[in-house]
Amino acid sequence: MIRKTLAALSLAAVAPLASAQTATMCVFDVIGANGDVYNMVKDFALEMKTHNVDFKLKPYTDEGVAIGDFNSGQCDAVAALDIRLRPFNRFTGSVSAVGALPTYKDLETLLATLAQPKAAPLMKENGYEVLGIVPAGAGYLFVNDREIDTAGELAGKRIATLDYQKDAIRMVNYVKATVVPSDITNFAGKFNNGSVDTAYAPAFAYEALELYKGIGEKGGIVDYPLAQLTVQIVARDEVLDDDVAQKAREVAWGMFPQAMNMISDLEDAIPDDKWIRIPEKDIVGYQEMFRENRLEMRDGANGAPVVYSPKMLSLMSKIRCSSNPGASECTADNRE
């Protein structure tokens, strides 16, 4: 991983450490203190020393425990996947809305927008503030049989589904598959031992969680991003003043190239014959299916849970239509 350590340390050396503010941060990484996410947050913390904030990091391999400790006041901030952080900020927690950002270029445009000072009011919600958003990689469908490459073929299949991810549960039910309740510590084991037919994860899980075992000789990874996962840092609103909080978001945005290099390396490391390419005509159909589901989960229509922020869905729709103005959704009456 590319580090900005030397630059951060040299600047930190001239910073007035005696007046530095200290804050603790619970950091989730499924591999713990040796994981890429934890190391990326370490780089963030080093950069923040230049702004007189000294984050003391605490590694966690269980996301639920990390957030529980944050809730109980044992940490001033928490770094975890946005899916789990949705209760703290529905707007930024909707970045990973299903099918909403089909390309990394669209994600880059979104995160650049969110790092601007004019977006700062949207970073605060319910007494909490988002201090940074960094890509964690697109989420892909891992399958134990390459024949499972269309939504129709998911019917009746068992899918490891995070039990707190309401939008995923909704989608699994929509395609008439079977929800197998899981959490981030055990979904990989269920896929690898054949308890489920499919699982949803970013590319890092192929090696780190040994999902290649579940893929075996017959399976693969459907090469279409179901969602863009991000690591977000959330703190109680009073932890940093507004100016420093904005600096924190700009530091996190400055790490976008570092994060994307890591993600590209991980995706490129997966053998090409493990990727399942799907036809462009199918992709157009999936995009409309996802869009209809997002609308329902924005409005709570047709029995769907209310999950997504209307403002975030609208922003992501504008980004998609800027990069692909010919898409049918861009002239739809019910545009997000």
Side-chain angles (χ1 to χ4, degrees):
M1 174 178 290
I2 300 172
R3 296 289 186 85
K4 300 178 180 178
T5 306
L6 292 177
L9 285 175
S10 62
L11 288 170
V14 299
L17 290 177
S19 60
Q21 178 185 356
T22 299
T24 57
M25 188 191 306
C26 301
V27 181
F28 165 70
D29 187 314
V30 70
I31 304 176
N34 294 320
D36 288 331
V37 169
Y38 188 83
N39 280 319
M40 197 155 53
V41 176
K42 278 174 66 178
D43 289 345
F44 169 85
L46 284 168
E47 291 282 312
M48 286 306 296
K49 287 180 184 291
T50 68
H51 300 291
N52 282 342
V53 179
D54 185 9
F55 279 111
K56 304 295 185 187
L57 306 184
K58 299 170 65 175
Y60 290 77
T61 57
D62 188 316
E63 198 171 32
V65 175
I67 292 174
D69 281 1
F70 173 62
N71 282 331
S72 67
Q74 296 186 48
C75 300
D76 302 306
V78 61
L81 293 174
D82 58 277
I83 293 169
R84 198 66 185 257
L85 294 175
R86 281 175 181 161
F88 300 99
N89 190 306
R90 189 174 162 206
F91 176 72
T92 62
S94 299
V95 170
S96 59
V98 60
L101 292 172
T103 70
Y104 285 131
K105 186 63 180 174
D106 287 347
L107 176 64
E108 181 179 15
T109 301
L110 175 65
L111 297 191
T113 302
L114 299 185
Q116 295 177 11
K118 65 182 180 183
L122 296 167
M123 300 297 113
K124 293 191 179 190
E125 200 171 292
N126 302 323
Y128 297 95
E129 183 162 16
V130 177
L131 301 182
I133 307 174
V134 180
Y140 298 103
L141 192 66
F142 289 66
V143 299
N144 62 5
D145 185 339
R146 296 179 70 87
E147 297 300 317
I148 310 173
D149 61 352
T150 67
E153 282 154 0
L154 285 169
K157 303 300 181 186
R158 302 160 298 169
I159 302 181
T161 311
L162 302 180
D163 48 16
Y164 50 81
Q165 193 179 358
K166 295 180 181 178
D167 51 344
I169 294 171
R170 168 76 178 176
M171 286 303 307
V172 172
N173 289 329
Y174 184 85
V175 297
K176 303 187 187 315
T178 300
V179 170
V180 178
S182 306
D183 62 41
I184 208 157
T185 65
N186 63 25
F187 82 93
K190 291 181 179 180
F191 181 64
N192 290 341
N193 68 21
S195 299
V196 299
D197 302 300
T198 76
Y200 160 79
F204 92 92
Y206 181 81
E207 281 289 343
L209 301 182
E210 302 180 330
L211 293 191
Y212 56 83
K213 292 182 177 176
I215 289 174
E217 295 299 318
K218 293 175 56 181
I221 307 165
V222 179
D223 186 20
Y224 181 76
L226 297 177
Q228 297 290 348
L229 303 177
T230 60
V231 173
Q232 299 190 5
I233 298 171
V234 172
R236 273 174 277 281
D237 193 8
E238 69 276 11
V239 170
L240 300 182
D241 66 38
D242 288 351
D243 288 342
V244 179
Q246 177 57 33
K247 291 295 183 187
R249 287 189 286 273
E250 291 170 5
V251 167
W253 162 239
M255 300 177 72
F256 183 87
Q258 174 184 351
M260 288 310 305
N261 283 337
M262 178 185 72
I263 291 165
S264 294
D265 288 347
L266 290 167
E267 293 187 352
D268 291 346
I270 296 175
D272 192 59
D273 64 357
K274 297 300 181 188
W275 290 102
I276 303 171
R277 316 294 178 187
I278 54 177
E280 186 63 31
K281 62 178 177 58
D282 289 353
I283 290 175
V284 172
Y286 291 142
Q287 288 173 338
E288 181 58 21
M289 179 182 76
F290 292 143
R291 191 180 78 87
E292 291 172 2
N293 272 276
R294 288 196 302 271
L295 290 171
E296 291 182 348
M297 289 186 277
R298 178 194 67 184
D299 303 332
N302 297 326
V306 176
V307 178
Y308 300 139
S309 155
K311 191 179 290 292
M312 176 58 78
L313 292 192
S314 176
L315 175 58
M316 293 193 290
S317 170
K318 290 174 182 172
I319 290 171
R320 288 195 306 276
C321 286
S322 176
S323 62
N324 182 19
S328 60
E329 67 160 314
C330 303
T331 55
D333 292 336
N334 61 346
R335 205 178 146 184
E336 289 164 274

